Amino acid sequence: MSDTFEPVDAYDRDLALAATGLLDTFNGAGVLTAADVHVAANLGRVVGERDESVLLAVALAVRAVRHGSVALDLTAVPSSLADLDLPWPEAPAWAAAVGASPVLASGVVHVEHGLVYLDRYHEQETQVLDDLRVRGRVAHAVDRDLLDSSLARVFPEADSDEQREACRRAATQATTVITGGPGTGKTTAVAGLLAALVEQAEARGDGLRIALAAPTGKAAARLQQSVRDSAVRFGGADQARLADVTAMTLHRLLRQHPGNSTRFRHHRGNRLPHDLVVVDEASMVSLTMMARLLEATRPEARLVLVGDPDQLSSVDAGAVLTDLVRGYEHRTDSPVAALTTAHRYGAAIGRLAEALRLGDADAAIAALQAGGEAVEWVSDGDPAGPIRAAVLPHALAVHDAAVAGDATRALAALDRHRLLCAHRDGPFGVRHWNRRIEAWLTSETTASVHDPAYPGRPILVSSNDYSLGVYNGDTGVIVAGPHGPRAAIATGADHLELAPSRLGDVETMHAMTIHKSQGSQADEITVLLPDEDSRLLTRELFYTAVTRAQRRVRVIGSESAVRAAISRQALRASGLRARLSDA
């Protein structure tokens, strides 16, 4: 999402025609939308606040939530929009005016740690902090000798010390945060923990009620498959212990109220019955969802949050996983267990990923320039040539298998390459490159890409259908069948075949956005970076794209774009980190 909008004309729907003063100026500059202005103006009328700077702060706080922040940092927002010539209030006077305003007395706005909050998000952040404090006082007794024996069995490798230690901590404390980059064995650690805790329950003669969840259906299915694959490696007894473990979306776990996306049937007055709740891809969990999860989980139940704090955060407000990791960083009671040894990809991709994670532009450039089989950098010229060379062979392989009706081969070919873009629209966007690739495919084959069910069309599911077992983020291919085209959807180790007409919302996936790729992986990744001026171009976006690769990554973008991405962090204003540090 861009930080600003460009008004089309005087009747643009984002313009508030009745706005005056600073609200009108910032609205006309594309910083505030009409909705931001109306919330601030209406609140000002209700509480009797006429100070333009205070109303501007309220409007910017509304805008901040829309852009992913929990609150507004008055000192940081002018610098984030420094390219616009705007009459920003002088910082100390601005903060003093907001602090003395009747909007605070109304309870609609709060100020804490120098941040301006809307009431809803201040309440949620406070609730998360309070629930974590309560959970921090809970300890779980385990049979230590049996635990060590279990972990030695499921993690016999010499380089599994980190995983064993993470499991020991998760077994004995109420809240555990397991972090690590892609391929560091986070879900393998989860599987080992489940096996060990089930064995503990067996020794006590009771059961262990387990819930596995993730923000999206695709991530939940992948978590379930990963746990079961790990159980197979552990051996027969552990495989039997985990045979019935299933995963679901967080919304399904908490049982969402119809018509209300933020309220659930499980809450503080109707807790989840589970003894252990594991949430994968926790970096994608918003503040609101984390608050709902914590209030629904019994304080004595174990809660394990798993994710990579350096990846992109939730599309909604908050970056809770990152706040937890940074907030607990210097505390002796930290529940964070970090996995650092990467097993997914080789040293070359690992060096690039680590340079991006640390924000070291020179090291990233050196890793790109070193080249080799695992890393390729195309830094100048028209991107169409290298994209065609990278994408077309894989698109043809998918097409040939699909025309032959071989769904297994088509899905395998699909997973060998991904073209990732930062944007949906424009010359660097998914829609543009999907059209270009389809044109290349047509020129090489007899495919009629005007039919949405053409064999070889790669598809991305964008909505959940629990009755079909198809989830947002699932990928598939249209394949030829004896009675017409079929949609083959990958479902972990197998696939599901459906009539294309039975699917809801799907998109063509010759190219996909980096946001949509989060949590997935492919043998080879091609990353198309936009111009350095793109506000979407951030370190987290670049890191997420590169770490989707298992074997090879190709970066297409100028040196200036690479350096711009690394220098620009997707920082989200939040007080949770500071409040945890102070606790």
Side-chain angles (χ1 to χ4, degrees):
M1 181 185 294
S2 174
D3 284 356
T4 60
F5 70 92
E6 292 288 342
V8 175
D9 54 37
Y11 302 100
D12 190 310
R13 67 179 182 178
D14 280 324
L15 291 178
L17 301 182
T20 59
L22 287 176
L23 292 180
D24 179 47
T25 301
F26 279 71
N27 179 222
V31 174
L32 300 176
T33 65
D36 304 331
V37 171
H38 292 323
V39 170
N42 288 337
L43 178 60
R45 280 193 290 271
V46 169
V47 303
E49 177 58 82
R50 297 182 180 179
D51 188 320
E52 290 184 12
S53 69
V54 173
L55 299 182
L56 175 62
V58 174
L60 288 170
V62 177
R63 173 188 181 274
V65 170
R66 195 175 67 253
H67 286 271
S69 289
V70 170
L72 171 70
D73 185 343
L74 290 177
T75 61
V77 67
S79 60
S80 70
L81 296 166
D83 54 330
L84 299 176
D85 185 17
L86 291 168
W88 292 99
E90 193 270 328
W94 196 10
V98 174
S101 171
V103 299
L104 267 68
S106 72
V108 178
V109 174
H110 299 262
V111 174
E112 188 165 348
H113 282 282
L115 301 174
V116 179
Y117 291 84
L118 301 180
D119 178 61
R120 170 183 171 182
Y121 295 96
H122 184 266
E123 179 185 9
Q124 289 175 358
E125 191 175 276
T126 301
Q127 180 209 311
V128 166
L129 187 65
D130 291 343
D131 284 339
L132 288 172
R133 285 190 184 122
V134 170
R135 297 182 61 79
R137 295 193 286 268
V138 176
H140 288 273
V142 295
D143 182 330
R144 294 277 183 170
D145 291 337
L146 178 60
L147 180 63
D148 287 344
S149 172
S150 301
L151 297 179
R153 182 182 67 252
V154 297
F155 300 121
E157 299 85 0
D159 62 351
S160 296
D161 286 345
E162 290 178 342
Q163 292 167 313
R164 286 190 287 266
E165 178 57 27
C167 290
R168 287 191 187 94
R169 297 179 65 176
T172 56
Q173 56 196 27
T175 306
T176 305
V177 182
I178 299 178
T179 69
T184 53
K186 297 187 295 295
T187 52
T188 303
V190 167
L193 172 67
L194 298 184
L197 290 181
V198 171
E199 192 170 14
Q200 291 273 327
E202 290 171 350
R204 293 193 306 269
D206 57 20
L208 185 73
R209 293 165 295 185
I210 298 171
L212 300 185
T216 67
K218 176 70 171 179
R222 191 174 54 252
L223 171 62
Q224 178 176 309
Q225 188 62 44
S226 178
V227 167
R228 291 186 178 179
D229 289 346
S230 295
V232 171
R233 295 196 299 273
F234 295 161
D238 292 314
Q239 187 175 356
R241 289 184 177 107
L242 304 184
D244 297 328
V245 172
T246 59
M248 64 188 75
T249 64
L250 276 171
H251 282 79
R252 200 172 191 189
L253 173 68
L254 299 179
R255 297 182 61 201
Q256 184 175 342
H257 272 293
N260 190 327
S261 62
T262 62
R263 288 294 173 182
F264 300 88
R265 297 187 188 280
H266 286 292
H267 46 73
R268 205 172 297 279
N270 180 32
R271 306 269 195 174
L272 290 166
H274 304 93
D275 306 303
L276 170 64
V277 178
V278 178
V279 179
D280 196 17
E281 298 292 351
S283 64
M284 300 167 65
V285 179
S286 68
L287 174 65
T288 298
M289 184 56 78
M290 187 62 72
R292 300 292 175 254
L293 173 66
L294 283 168
E295 72 177 13
T297 304
R298 292 181 295 120
E300 68 274 16
R302 293 179 177 90
L303 174 64
V304 181
L305 304 174
V306 185
D308 184 349
D310 297 303
Q311 286 188 19
L312 291 165
S313 299
S314 164
V315 295
D316 296 318
V320 182
L321 183 69
T322 301
D323 286 340
L324 293 179
V325 173
R326 307 296 180 238
Y328 279 114
E329 204 165 24
H330 302 295
R331 288 178 51 166
T332 57
D333 61 343
S334 172
V336 179
L339 306 181
T340 60
T341 304
H343 306 284
R344 176 187 294 177
Y345 39 64
I349 297 178
R351 281 193 296 272
L352 176 58
E354 184 67 3
L356 295 177
R357 189 183 72 81
L358 297 174
D360 189 335
D362 290 338
I365 295 294
L368 288 167
Q369 289 174 334
E373 298 226 349
V375 176
E376 178 185 352
W377 185 23
V378 181
S379 59
D380 52 27
D382 184 355
I387 288 177
R388 177 175 177 136
V391 172
L392 190 56
H394 297 285
L396 289 171
V398 172
H399 171 267
D400 292 345
V403 169
D406 191 337
T408 300
R409 184 158 57 93
L411 290 169
L414 183 66
D415 281 342
R416 285 198 281 271
H417 182 268
R418 289 278 192 278
L419 171 61
L420 303 182
C421 306
H423 293 261
R424 292 192 61 83
D425 299 299
F428 297 98
V430 164
R431 290 193 177 99
H432 171 81
W433 288 102
N434 273 326
R435 289 193 298 268
R436 295 280 306 262
I437 295 164
E438 286 186 327
W440 296 333
L441 190 62
T442 299
S443 70
E444 296 286 334
T445 68
T446 59
S448 174
V449 298
H450 301 294
D451 181 354
Y454 70 85
R457 181 194 178 198
I459 56 176
L460 175 68
V461 178
S462 53
S463 63
N464 294 328
D465 189 327
Y466 295 108
S467 64
L468 293 178
V470 174
Y471 305 106
N472 180 18
D474 281 350
T475 57
V477 180
I478 303 296
V479 299
H483 305 293
R486 306 286 288 172
I489 308 296
T491 57
D494 203 353
H495 72 272
L496 180 69
E497 290 194 28
L498 303 164
S501 59
R502 296 189 66 190
L503 293 173
D505 299 324
V506 297
E507 306 168 10
T508 300
M509 200 192 70
H510 290 293
M512 70 188 304
T513 63
I514 297 170
H515 277 84
K516 286 280 190 179
S517 76
Q518 192 164 1
S520 66
Q521 58 191 55
D523 289 347
E524 182 178 333
I525 292 291
T526 297
V527 185
L528 176 61
L529 297 180
D531 285 340
E532 60 187 280
D533 295 332
S534 169
R535 293 186 183 274
L536 291 181
L537 189 59
T538 64
R539 184 189 306 174
E540 293 82 0
L541 190 87
F542 196 3
Y543 171 83
T544 300
V546 165
T547 54
R548 300 309 91 207
Q550 292 180 285
R551 185 180 56 84
R552 179 179 173 83
V553 65
R554 178 183 299 102
V555 175
I556 301 177
S558 65
E559 180 174 342
S560 59
V562 170
R563 290 187 178 276
I566 295 170
S567 67
R568 189 182 297 138
Q569 283 191 274
L571 298 176
R572 294 186 169 191
S574 160
L576 183 58
R577 183 183 309 188
R579 296 168 78 179
L580 279 170
S581 298
D582 292 346

